[in-house]
Amino acid sequence: MFDLNKIRNDFPILKEKIYGKNLVYLDNAATTHKPQVVIDAIVEAYTKFNSNIHRGNHFLSEICTQKYEQARQIVQKYINAVSSKEIIFTKGATESINLVANSFASFLNKDDEVIVSAMEHHANLVPWHILSNNKGIKLKIIPMNSNFELDLTQFENLFTAKTKLVSVVHISNTLGTINPIEKIIKTAHSKAVPVLIDAAQSIQHKKIDVQKLNCDFLAFSGHKIYAETGIGVLYGKQSMLEKMSPYQGGGDMIKDVSYNSTEYADLPFKFEAGTSNYVGAYSLGKAIEYVENIGIENIELYEKELFEYAFDKLSKIEGIDIYAASKENRISSLSFNVKGVHHLDIGTMLDKFGIAIRTGTHCTQPLVNSFGQTGTVRASFAFYNTFEEIDFFIESLKKVIEMFK
Amino acid sequence: MNTIEEIQNQIIEEFSMFDDWMNKYEYLIDLGKNLEPLKDGLKKDDFLIKGCQSRVWLVPKFENGRLFLSADSDAIITKGLASLIIRIFDDKTPEEIMNADVFFVEQIGLSQNLSPTRANGLASMIQSIKHYAEAFKTKN
Ligand SMILES: Cc1ncc(COP(=O)(O)O)c(C=O)c1O
């Protein structure tokens, strides 16, 4: 059941006042707020069962390990992975992608190619730039058309015998464009190239089924799906992960260590060196359960309505430029500029109305520069936002524009 | 000629006449609109201050042992801030600038809003001016 009043009550921060005004939080693509069940879970963990996992043979360590592994199973079921061995806990999407870049690097030689898209977050560009500096690999970019969508015909032409990996964002954090990853994955697989999906902006908005998608890797962050910061996930097909060597060394990822050598632990522990963020993982499990109780499909439907409502109202404002894909391919993040007014000025003044939005390049500098802008204003929605909040945002935006005329 | 401290006190007094933030911002926006734009030729990367979300150009000129400043930005609020900075530091000696304590930001009642100074470029502007003063002093 989708009960907006109840949902809003679940998120205590929404009652905060900003400069004495109601908070209107439209920066959900940067991070999401936490429902009380998640906040309670963090307190519960430290109050009831905190102990280092996989190590102690005492009672609390055992309980804590169980909670951690249960969280892994919740993630596994949520994305429908075949096995919980395929779920690696990381500190976020960024670390998940870096893990793949580092471990996959042993399969890459000079001049090998990785394909990314024109819409990537820096988290899915810089790790490959590092590999290009260190190993001489080449990056190829799937171009974007004037509709703010990826050009799939061009994509097919990018493949060569040297293409080793495709790594693309599912939903753009800047444009809200939903990329056709099903097709991208099929095309890449027809050329025997594995695919990494950056799901940092889709895991909280859309049903993701890794078996149906048949992606080889999938990365996301807990904090964008209502869990704590500092926890994230890398999904990898077992066959892939088994071939890859560890990303970091340390405790917890070993089977046997002598002074001169190490035998690595099995999956998923091989990739989880050091003390894991088990409280974060526990909170992620709770967050996913919370989302599942409301239903990710219900969330998506409502968020789509919010986006289109905001889009329609925004497009009626004079001098507005909206950077968005066609109606069926967009959700959650709405980027725009107002002619003659700097995005930072708009953001600074909207803040004074209690409205949290983001301005700038949103960690997608090449993308924003590619359509000739130094930045955009971005409103990004979550299912706890309301139509009234959007009305207030639009009215405030009009006032702000007036101030700069 | 007023000192850096005196000018800051004047600015604080001017801002204290507005009792709500909206009027303070309108004043800042007006200052921004009224700041004479730099000629295009001066909007060079050499004068661009890095690390701000808006582009800020700050052009120093040294004459008779004193620093003269002009500035521009593509964001109006940043321009308003730049105009305050110019008012404070223009036509001062490198010693005065290097020893200056900048306190007006906290006291004009906007610091809570302006605190992410990285974004609006205020901290970078002040830092650049101090660098210019230092460079000028060591050269001469
Ligand atoms: C599309 C996309 N990828 C990756 C990231 C990186 O996520 P994190 O900073 O949580 O590691 C983000 C976060 O903004 C994102 O939007």
Side-chain angles (χ1 to χ4, degrees), chain A residues 83-143:
Chain A
S83 151
S84 64
K85 288 182 184 166
E86 299 178 318
I87 307 299
I88 319 279
F89 282 124
T90 63
K91 73 180 162 74
T94 302
E95 191 182 32
S96 301
I97 297 169
N98 275 279
L99 191 163
V100 175
N102 274 273
S103 295
F104 209 80
S106 57
F107 309 134
L108 299 177
N109 297 310
K110 188 172 178 323
D111 295 331
D112 277 347
E113 294 163 359
V114 171
I115 298 177
V116 298
S117 85
M119 298 179 191
E120 300 312 322
H121 188 277
H122 296 165
N124 195 24
L125 276 178
V126 184
W128 310 113
H129 291 166
I130 294 175
L131 279 192
S132 105
N133 291 336
N134 295 347
K135 289 209 104 179
I137 69 148
K138 297 212 162 78
L139 261 192
K140 294 217 167 159
I141 316 289
I142 312 169

Side-chain angles (χ1 to χ4, degrees), chain A residues 12 35 109 113 140 157 187 200 206 210 253 258 282 286 306 309 312 314 323 338 387 399:
Chain A
N109 297 310
E113 294 163 359
K140 294 217 167 159
N157 298 333
T187 304
K206 275 181 105 55
V210 290
M253 51 79 74
S258 68
Y282 184 60
K286 293 287 175 189
L306 285 175
Y309 184 78
D312 287 344
L314 206 54
Y323 314 110
V338 179
F387 294 104
K399 285 185 195 152

Side-chain angles (χ1 to χ4, degrees), chain A residues 19 342 345 352 359 403 405, chain B residues 21 33 53 75-77 113:
Chain A
Y19 313 117
H342 196 273
D345 283 330
K352 306 305 167 294
T359 64
M403 290 178 82
K405 279 230 168 108
Chain B
W21 59 267
K33 286 178 180 166
Q53 219 186 75
I76 298 288
I77 293 174
N113 313 316

Side-chain angles (χ1 to χ4, degrees), chain A residues 72 76 80-87 211 235-236 238:
Chain A
R72 200 189 301 278
Q76 177 209 338
N80 194 29
V82 175
S83 151
S84 64
K85 288 182 184 166
E86 299 178 318
I87 307 299
Q211 290 190 60
Y235 157 82
Q238 190 170 341

Side-chain angles (χ1 to χ4, degrees), chain A residues 29-31 90-97 119-124 169-174 198-202 204 219-224 230-232 358 362-364 378:
Chain A
T31 198
T90 63
K91 73 180 162 74
T94 302
E95 191 182 32
S96 301
I97 297 169
M119 298 179 191
E120 300 312 322
H121 188 277
H122 296 165
N124 195 24
V169 65
H170 187 185
I171 297 184
S172 161
N173 62 308
T174 299
D198 175 356
Q201 296 293 344
S202 56
Q204 66 281 50
F220 66 89
S221 296
H223 70 96
K224 294 190 199 273
I231 186 74
R358 186 163 166 191
H362 322 294
C363 295
T364 57
R378 180 188 73 183

